[in-house]
């Protein structure tokens, strides 16, 4: 691992600030939603004619909250696993918060692919494979 210059650290930190803020907002929203649930007897499913739609359980909310907290921890301590966990968090937010989450996820996806952000997070891409995914000879 090579040492980063102060300028590279500052630029990498600036690039990663967007996903960090986004994950904070999502974690707070999911936390508020989780703690506002009434844990008593409430309607679990929505019935629309012959169609029945199940609502997510509180357990799945804990999993989502854990995903975003893990991504935040990885971003703050600059670990390489923060890149795949952050991408997973973006994909989940694109699915759950469909129109708005997809827009923000598409914008922030480029930030994880930025070479300075990868360098800042100590994420090394293997040189064994080229861009197409075939093994170099």
């Amino acid at each position: 691992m090579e040492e980063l210059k102060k300028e590279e650290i500052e630029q990498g930190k600036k690039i990663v600030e967007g996903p960090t803020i986004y994950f904070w907002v999502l974690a707070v929203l999911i936390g508020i939603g989780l703690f506002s649930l009434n844990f008593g007897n409430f309607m679990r499913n929505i019935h629309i004619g012959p169609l029945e739609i199940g609502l997510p359980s509180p357990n799945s909310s804990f999993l989502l909250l854990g995903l975003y907290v893990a991504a935040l921890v990885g971003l703050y301590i600059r670990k390489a696993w923060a890149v795949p966990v952050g991408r997973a968090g973006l994909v989940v937010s694109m699915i759950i918060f469909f129109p708005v989450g997809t827009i923000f996820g598409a914008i922030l996806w480029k930030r994880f692919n930025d070479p300075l952000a990868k360098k800042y997070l100590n994420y090394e891409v293997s040189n064994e494979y080229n861009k197409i995914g075939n093994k170099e000879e």
Side-chain angles (χ1 to χ4, degrees):
M1 186 173 94
E2 63 185 58
E3 290 295 319
L4 296 176
K5 299 175 188 172
K6 185 173 177 146
E7 296 171 0
E8 290 177 336
I9 291 175
E10 290 298 320
Q11 289 174 348
K13 189 174 183 179
K14 188 181 277 190
I15 292 170
V16 176
E17 278 179 1
T20 303
I21 293 170
Y22 184 63
F23 290 151
W24 266 110
V25 169
L26 289 178
V28 168
L29 287 176
I30 290 173
I32 290 171
L34 180 66
F35 291 122
S36 68
L37 284 176
N38 182 7
F39 289 107
N41 292 330
F42 59 91
M43 184 174 66
R44 281 281 185 208
N45 298 323
I46 298 173
H47 301 282
I48 305 172
L51 182 67
E52 183 174 337
I53 301 172
L55 297 174
S57 69
N59 293 336
S60 64
S61 298
F62 279 117
L63 292 174
L64 294 175
L65 188 61
L67 174 68
Y68 294 120
V69 168
L72 283 170
V73 168
L75 289 173
Y76 276 114
I77 60 176
R78 295 175 50 192
K79 292 291 183 180
W81 52 265
V83 174
V85 172
R87 287 178 181 163
L90 287 177
V91 168
V92 168
S93 73
M94 287 178 179
I95 294 169
I96 293 177
F97 304 110
F98 171 61
V100 177
T102 304
I103 293 168
F104 281 119
I107 292 169
L108 295 175
W109 189 273
K110 292 185 261 184
R111 300 231 176 164
F112 280 116
N113 287 336
D114 192 275
L116 282 174
K118 287 181 180 180
K119 202 175 203 183
Y120 173 75
L121 294 171
N122 302 318
Y123 184 78
E124 294 182 17
V125 179
S126 175
N127 291 333
E128 185 176 326
Y129 293 93
N130 60 14
K131 291 182 181 178
I132 301 172
N134 299 327
K135 209 167 198 179
E136 289 183 355
E137 298 175 21

